[in-house]
Amino acid sequence: MSSSKIIFLDQSQIPTHYYNILPDLPKPLDPPLHPGTKQPIGTQDLSAIFPKELIKQEVSSEQYIEIPDEVLELYKLSRPTPLIRAENLEKKLDTPAKIYFKYEGANPTGSHKTNTSYAQAYYNKRAGIKKLVTETGAGQWGSALAMACKHFDLECEVFMVKVSYNQKPYRKTFMKFFGAEVYASPSTLTSAGKKVLDKDPNSPGSLGIAISEAIEIAAQREDTNYSLGSVLNHVLLHQTIIGEEAKKQLEIADDYPDVVIGCVGGGSNFAGIAFPFLKEKLTGDKNNLEVIGVEPLSCPSLTKGKYDYDFGDEAGMTPLIKMYTLGHEFVPPSIHAGGLRYHGAAPIVSALVNSGHVIAKAYEQTEVFQAAHLFAQCEGIVPAPESAHAIKEAIVQAIKCKETGESKKILFNLSGHGFLDLGSYEIFLENGF
Ligand SMILES: *Cc1c(COP(=O)(O)O)cnc(C)c1O
């Protein structure tokens, strides 16, 4: 029994394998469809923009996939990330619940995104690719990919959603610091961007539009690939290092969660914390485990969207994927949690919501920022507005425990820090929205 607030692991205990949930799903995923023929796409259709190894991971039936040594070495810059018991928050809420969080803000670019950017840059480098093009919302993904590309000596080009480009100027500097080129999206560099600007010159942009622009550029050149920071199966796979570590840390604390919580934009940090525990619910004896994904009420794909085939981007260039979606032309309002402004959600997460294994909840911006404020004052960490959605649900759960007298163990993922989101917190403090 450990009484530490922070549960560290030695670097020799960093997980050596990713957990692939695909073979453990209650039923196989509905296949992606070709946008033209509406027939299931073959893996060869993806090879214009992704390297072979990542395409293999996208459809793998192996339960565990080994992490390459070069990627493990990079993980050692910041992993294992701490698992922290939020005792001050527990006391403040006067709850019998135990609250644990995994702190992914401890990673170099401030969020979980490096868990996959290292792996994606590595596999692309090995495939002989010279340049990666991507989209970014709040700038977290662009920062993580820029850093990984610099390490593997790849060029990096980023289409950043315009509203965030203006709201979060330091993120732009962050990406440029690591050598990336950054454009506000919609831009005039692509036909997808021009089309949006023709219709609405003041478009705030969206992740869907930025994805269209990045794919358009990547598809034009042999030596250039596209890289996505969330949604796809292989991205979720790389993030499982979070939950695999958390499992080892909770073993040290002699605990197992009753509730696991993550915020959901595309679904990758949620998958990362949740899937290794969900495994025990799907194939083991943890039938009562509650797994909760939290999204903004203003972009409620999982809670209000349709479970149907839709495009992953605005222009309709991606395959049709089966997911909860608000429609690929949905442009979410300009909320501060830019990383959660996506019209859809990962196919695997969507399938698990549809089968009832994952519960989806949504909160509005003010209550989320209030939760972030309380958490920071208790635990000393300013969370990213995205992560604050998970904090809000953890607090709701802890208060429920106070009412019922249950001492549940609550685990949530603190996907990133909010040091570059202080502009948003400033507005919150001044106006309360
Ligand atoms: C990108 C991001 C998210 C949302 O993306 P997911 O793929 O849903 O994890 C959440 N939190 C932070 C800090 C992010 O950077």
Side-chain angles (χ1 to χ4, degrees), residues 104-105 109-113 136-141 171 207 229-231 235-236 239 242 262-272 294 337-342 345-346 349 383-389 413-418 421:
E104 289 297 302
T109 60
S111 80
H112 64 287
K113 298 273 187 0
T136 194
Q140 296 270 18
W141 170 238
R171 274 286 164 200
L207 275 169
S230 186
V231 181
V235 181
L236 275 51
Q239 293 297 349
I242 302 171
C263 66
V264 178
S268 73
N269 89 86
F270 166 77
V294 191
L340 305 187
R341 291 175 72 246
Y342 184 60
V349 174
E386 289 86 355
S387 321
H389 289 72
N413 195 31
L414 190 59
S415 52
H417 68 61
D421 301 281

Side-chain angles (χ1 to χ4, degrees), residues 298-416:
S298 57
C299 190
S301 34
L302 291 175
T303 48
K304 300 246 174 72
K306 242 177 37 188
Y307 189 46
D308 203 353
Y309 275 103
D310 193 10
F311 295 106
D313 69 324
E314 200 268 347
M317 290 194 284
T318 69
L320 287 159
I321 48 183
K322 182 86 176 277
M323 61 180 175
Y324 280 97
T325 174
L326 297 162
H328 62 281
E329 292 186 329
F330 180 79
V331 177
S334 308
I335 53 167
H336 293 281
L340 305 187
R341 291 175 72 246
Y342 184 60
H343 67 272
I348 302 180
V349 174
S350 295
L352 288 164
V353 168
N354 193 249
S355 66
H357 292 91
V358 169
I359 301 159
K361 292 199 178 177
Y363 292 107
E364 76 54 48
Q365 183 159 258
T366 304
E367 56 187 342
V368 167
F369 269 60
Q370 284 162 348
H373 198 195
L374 178 68
F375 175 81
Q377 291 185 340
C378 292
E379 300 298 327
I381 296 172
V382 177
E386 289 86 355
S387 321
H389 289 72
I391 295 174
K392 170 65 188 172
E393 177 61 21
I395 291 175
V396 166
Q397 291 284 334
I399 291 173
K400 208 163 77 186
C401 282
K402 185 181 176 183
E403 288 158 6
T404 62
E406 288 171 290
S407 58
K408 283 190 180 172
K409 284 110 188 171
I410 299 165
L411 169 67
F412 73 88
N413 195 31
L414 190 59
S415 52

Side-chain angles (χ1 to χ4, degrees), residues 108-109 142-143 146-147 150-151 169-182:
T109 60
S143 306
M147 184 208 157
K150 185 44 78 186
H151 179 83
Y170 289 134
R171 274 286 164 200
K172 203 168 38 190
T173 309
F174 205 128
M175 289 182 262
K176 288 183 172 169
F177 203 62
F178 286 99
E181 293 203 53
V182 189

